[in-house]
């Protein structure tokens, strides 16, 4: 085997660099220092690869890195004598060199600020249009599935219902129970001052049934199931499985998104109802312990003072929360680009955006029902 070597024929502003031998990965450590000693203050550099006998990715990286360094110094670099296979490998490696880190010192002033603001505005508008398009495609696929039920992937649907719904019951029930306990405890501390302990029933019932039960359930589902949707579909995007699905004629929206969104739409009202019942149980238990409101008195007061609309308002919100969580999670998954780091970034964005949208939708429903006087 011929270890690599290089010779340099240098004039005032130009240089001829001849590389000989086997330019392989095993020799990278031996020759890298020699490559780095090549002067960078020349205007014209020719790399002669005619004497290279063997060439692999490590050798191509050495050549590409040296070429990049010389060009950064203002030199014009020409590569000659490379065999076709070597030239093709070098071109591939050059195209995939990591980008150099930008200088940390940023320009200051009004102009750079306006440029950055414009870039963020354009990026945000494009993201909004992309999300809106994805939302429309998902709604169209859901309607088509309802009109043609045989298109639905039942195995995927039941699997997602188990993962996103059944397995979430313990944490949702515990959350609801603790919320009821906290409401009763905090309410008791205030109501005792006015001798109005019995009104803790209305406080718990209206707060849990109308708002907190379904809202906190949606937040838990967004953090638990929404992140799982983004991570799983995003990993498929990284591994190019979604491209493979399109190649064989499958629609990723129907195959991946619809079962997940539909599973959330079905399971969210059930989880919300469980959270409501757990919240009422926790509130009743704490009221009995702290205020002496017996379970019988609690149930009687609940029937007399709490309208069924308080429960229905929470249940009406559930499908809308589920639809938004599922769409945002799957849309973020489709934005993943080629790395595990991207999966993590979009999973975080999925959770944040889902929770924000859930709270925004809840606020709009509150205004809507307030205007209706419900």
């Amino acid at each position: 085997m011929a270890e690599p070597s290089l010779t340099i024929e240098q004039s005032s502003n130009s240089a001829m660099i001849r590389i000989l031998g086997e330019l392989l990965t095993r020799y990278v450590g031996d020759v890298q220092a020699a490559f780095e000693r090549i002067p960078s203050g020349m205007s014209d550099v020719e790399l002669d690869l005619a004497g290279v006998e063997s060439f692999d990715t490590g050798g191509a990286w050495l050549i590409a890195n040296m070429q990049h360094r010389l060009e950064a110094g203002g030199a014009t670099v020409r590569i000659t004598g490379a065999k076709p296979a070597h030239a093709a490998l070098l071109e591939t490696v050059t195209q995939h060199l990591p980008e150099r880190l930008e200088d940390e010192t940023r320009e200051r002033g009004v102009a750079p600020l306006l440029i950055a603001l414009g870039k963020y505005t354009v990026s945000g508008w494009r993201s909004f249009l992309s999300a809106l398009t994805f939302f429309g495609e998902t709604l169209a696929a859901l309607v088509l599935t309802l009109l043609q039920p045989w298109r639905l992937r039942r195995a995927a649907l039941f699997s997602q219902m188990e993962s996103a719904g059944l397995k979430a019951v313990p944490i949702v029930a515990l959350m609801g129970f603790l919320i009821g306990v906290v409401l009763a405890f905090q309410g008791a501390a205030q109501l005792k001052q006015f001798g109005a302990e019995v009104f803790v029933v209305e406080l718990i019932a209206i707060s849990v049934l109308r708002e907190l039960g379904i809202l906190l359930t949606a937040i838990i589902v967004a953090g638990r199931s929404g992140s799982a949707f983004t991570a799983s579909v995003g990993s498929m995007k990284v591994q190019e499985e979604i491209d493979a699905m399109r190649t064989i004629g499958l629609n990723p929206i129907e195959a991946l998104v619809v079962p997940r969104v539909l599973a959330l739409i079905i399971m969210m009202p059930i989880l919300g109802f469980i959270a409501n019942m757990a919240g009422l149980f926790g509130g009743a238990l704490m009221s009995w312990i702290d205020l002496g409101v017996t379970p019988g008195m609690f149930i009687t007061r609940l029937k007399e003072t709490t309208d069924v609309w308080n429960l229905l308002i929470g249940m009406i919100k559930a499908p809308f929360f589920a639809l938004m969580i599922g769409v945002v999670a799957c849309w973020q998954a489709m934005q993943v680009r080629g790395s595990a780091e991207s999966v993590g970034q979009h999973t975080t964005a999925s959770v944040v955006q889902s929770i924000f949208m859930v709270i925004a939708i809840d606020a709009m429903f509150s205004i809507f029902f307030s205007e209706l006087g419900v």
Side-chain angles (χ1 to χ4, degrees):
M1 295 184 180
E3 293 188 6
S5 62
L6 58 90
T7 60
I8 304 176
E9 299 176 3
Q10 184 175 355
S11 61
S12 58
N13 293 321
S14 63
M16 164 74 78
I17 302 173
R18 289 190 175 88
I19 302 174
L20 308 172
E22 295 184 336
L23 199 55
L24 303 175
T25 302
R26 67 169 67 95
Y27 300 124
V28 166
D30 299 330
V31 300
Q32 186 172 6
F35 275 63
E36 291 177 352
R37 286 196 299 268
I38 296 174
S40 57
M42 296 171 287
S43 60
D44 184 47
V45 178
E46 181 179 348
L47 297 178
D48 184 5
L49 303 183
V52 175
E53 301 172 6
S54 301
F55 199 54
D56 66 359
T57 306
W61 174 81
L62 278 175
I63 298 295
N65 193 51
M66 179 174 62
Q67 180 181 3
H68 185 278
R69 181 172 62 86
L70 293 173
E71 289 178 344
T76 301
V77 181
R78 293 177 291 110
I79 298 177
T80 60
K83 298 179 177 64
H86 296 173
L89 178 58
L90 179 59
E91 181 181 0
T92 301
V93 172
T94 302
Q95 291 175 352
H96 292 83
L97 279 178
E99 295 182 0
R100 300 286 177 175
L101 294 177
E102 296 181 358
D103 189 358
E104 294 183 359
T105 59
R106 298 180 179 179
E107 296 182 8
R108 299 181 182 275
V110 177
L113 181 62
L114 292 177
I115 292 172
L117 179 61
K119 288 181 179 179
Y120 283 129
T121 302
V122 172
S123 176
W125 177 248
R126 288 175 178 173
S127 296
F128 171 75
L129 293 180
S130 174
L132 192 62
T133 302
F134 187 84
F135 183 72
E137 291 177 351
T138 303
L139 284 182
L142 281 172
V143 172
L144 185 61
T145 300
L146 294 176
L147 296 177
Q148 301 176 355
W150 59 87
R151 300 174 67 97
L152 178 63
R153 297 175 177 271
R154 293 177 178 80
L157 174 63
F158 291 129
S159 175
Q160 295 301 328
M161 288 174 63
E162 177 187 10
S163 176
L166 185 60
K167 292 182 179 179
V169 168
I171 184 63
V172 167
L174 178 61
M175 177 273 302
F177 175 80
L178 294 177
I179 288 299
V181 169
V182 170
L183 283 175
F185 184 78
Q186 295 295 332
Q190 302 300 321
L191 294 173
K192 279 181 180 178
Q193 303 177 32
F194 308 100
E197 294 90 338
V198 71
F199 289 104
V200 75
V201 179
E202 287 92 321
L203 171 65
I204 296 169
I206 295 176
S207 299
V208 171
L209 296 180
R210 191 181 184 102
E211 290 292 340
L212 292 181
I214 191 62
L215 178 62
L216 294 178
T217 298
I219 291 174
I220 285 180
V221 170
R224 182 186 178 278
S225 303
S227 60
F229 290 173
T230 305
S232 60
V233 179
S235 297
M236 296 177 66
K237 186 76 182 297
V238 170
Q239 296 169 5
E240 300 182 351
E241 295 179 32
I242 294 178
D243 294 333
M245 292 175 64
R246 291 193 178 99
T247 301
I248 62 177
L250 294 177
N251 184 354
I253 301 293
E254 290 188 10
L256 300 175
V257 178
V258 169
R260 286 171 167 80
V261 173
L262 197 55
L264 284 185
I265 292 175
I266 295 172
M267 296 306 299
M268 184 70 79
I270 299 174
L271 292 175
F273 182 79
I274 292 172
N276 289 339
M277 296 303 103
L280 293 178
F281 177 74
L285 182 62
M286 195 64 194
S287 299
W288 189 17
I289 294 172
D290 197 32
L291 298 175
V293 179
T294 63
M297 185 187 302
F298 189 94
I299 294 173
T300 301
R301 186 75 180 174
L302 182 66
K303 290 180 179 178
E304 291 177 352
T305 60
T306 305
D307 192 351
V308 69
W309 265 108
N310 292 312
L311 175 63
L312 293 179
I313 285 173
M315 294 297 101
I316 289 171
K317 299 175 186 177
F320 294 93
F321 290 167
L323 177 64
M324 188 55 61
I325 292 170
V327 170
V328 169
C330 294
W331 173 70
Q332 283 290 347
M334 294 298 181
Q335 308 308 305
V336 170
R337 294 291 181 270
S339 68
E341 182 181 3
S342 179
V343 174
Q345 290 172 348
H346 285 284
T347 300
T348 302
S350 166
V351 174
V352 173
Q353 291 178 4
S354 296
I355 293 175
F356 173 80
M357 293 303 300
V358 163
I359 295 174
I361 292 173
D362 185 68
M364 288 189 291
F365 269 112
S366 296
I367 296 172
F368 176 72
F369 287 124
S370 177
E371 291 295 325
L372 291 181
V374 179

